[in-house]
Each structure stands twice: as structure tokens, then as C-alpha cells.
């Protein structure tokens, strides 16, 4: 058997274990919406933690797995409306080190959900909404923006600049 053929059974066993754990005892504010471990994309509901600017807000994350999981991280994006956050793009993509350079096979879907929830909890201001209002209502043209405002707008919505 080739390496990818051997990885597939390991990946399925690992996903089955994580699926069962996430269904049986999910972390607070996390709920697995996917019905079958056989699906290659899992839908997970994330509720904003109490006493944060996202308290009670409900979002959906999609985790898409390859046969290389857990050696490669799952593609992880918000589906539908993404939270207004400086590290979450309008298209739902998330800028978080553990989803890229700091990924480790020791991490799990549950730990990723907690990392995303923690990242959201540490945010003090909803930047996307602020950036849109700044662009449309406060600034006569994009040429008047400071370098910092340009960075904020680019991170909020790449189409702005």
C-alpha cells in the first residue's frame, strides 16, 4: 500500500473517535451538526462565549478533511455570516496560526473550535462593521485613509482597496 492509501484508514479511525467525543461531550458553546462521520465536511455550531462582544451569537464552522488528516489541518471556514473580527475575513476564512504553520496532529476539531472561540473572546471590538462604517461614512475617498486604516479595511474585506 502507498502512503496515502495507508493514511486513509488512520484518518477515518481518528475522525470516528473525534466525532464520537464531540457528539457525546462537546465543549461549552460547541455543537456538532453533522449527522454522519462518513461526511468529509463537518458542520459545527459555535456560540459566542458569555461576557464577550459575541455573547449568544451563533455561527457555523465547516471543517473539510482530506485523507491526510490529522497530518494536515482541516480546511476551516465560517459558513454563512462570519463574525466581525480582525482575523476573520468576510468570506469566512480564518487567520489563525494553528490552522496553518502551527498545526499539529495532536490538535483536534474540538481544540480548533476552542481556539477559534478563544480568539473571538479576546476581541474587544467588531472590526469589520467598524471598517465598513469608516469607509462609507467617514472617509470621502480611499486615498484619504491612513496606512493603518488601509490595513484594517483590507483585513475586513479585500475588495475595499
Amino acid at each position: 500500500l502507498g502512503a496515502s492509501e495507508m493514511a486513509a484508514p488512520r484518518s477515518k479511525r481518528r475522525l470516528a473517535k473525534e466525532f464520537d467525543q464531540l457528539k457525546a461531550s462537546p465543549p461549552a458553546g460547541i455543537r456538532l451538526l453533522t449527522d454522519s462521520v462518513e461526511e468529509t465536511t463537518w458542520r459545527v455550531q459555535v456560540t459566542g462565549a458569555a461576557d464577550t462582544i459575541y455573547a449568544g451569537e451563533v455561527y457555523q464552522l465547516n471543517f473539510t478533511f482530506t485523507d491526510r488528516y490529522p497530518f494536515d489541518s482541516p480546511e476551516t471556514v465560517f459558513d454563512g455570516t462570519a463574525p466581525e473580527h480582525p482575523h476573520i475575513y468576510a468570506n469566512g476564512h480564518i487567520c489563525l496560526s494553528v490552522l496553518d504553520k502551527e498545526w499539529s496532529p495532536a490538535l483536534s476539531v474540538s481544540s480548533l473550535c476552542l481556539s477559534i472561540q478563544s480568539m473571538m473572546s479576546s476581541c474587544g471590538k467588531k472590526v469589520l462593521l467598524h471598517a465598513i462604517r469608516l469607509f462609507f461614512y467617514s472617509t470621502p475617498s480611499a486615498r484619504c485613509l491612513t496606512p493603518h486604516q488601509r490595513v484594517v479595511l483590507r483585513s475586513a474585506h479585500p475588495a475595499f482597496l
Side-chain angles (χ1 to χ4, degrees), residues 36-117:
S36 170
V37 70
E38 298 300 319
E39 295 183 39
T40 57
T41 298
W42 292 4
R43 294 176 332 279
V44 177
Q45 179 179 297
V46 177
T47 303
D51 300 323
T52 70
I53 61 172
Y54 302 99
E57 294 181 16
V58 178
Y59 299 97
Q60 181 177 307
L61 283 167
N62 287 345
F63 293 88
T64 302
F65 305 96
T66 68
D67 287 343
R68 296 242 341 117
Y69 182 79
F71 302 105
D72 291 343
S73 67
E75 178 185 2
T76 306
V77 296
F78 281 95
D79 189 26
T81 303
E84 297 163 356
H85 187 281
H87 296 292
I88 301 171
Y89 295 93
N91 65 3
H93 288 263
I94 305 161
C95 182
L96 186 63
S97 60
V98 294
L99 292 173
D100 188 28
K101 293 177 185 169
E102 293 182 26
W103 170 255
S104 163
L107 296 171
S108 65
V109 172
S110 181
S111 65
L112 287 177
C113 288
L114 289 172
S115 293
I116 293 166
Q117 205 175 39

Side-chain angles (χ1 to χ4, degrees), residues 130-146:
H130 173 71
I132 290 170
R133 286 185 179 148
L134 171 72
F135 186 81
F136 284 111
Y137 303 114
S138 307
T139 308
S141 85
R143 284 174 279 174
C144 298
L145 296 174
T146 67

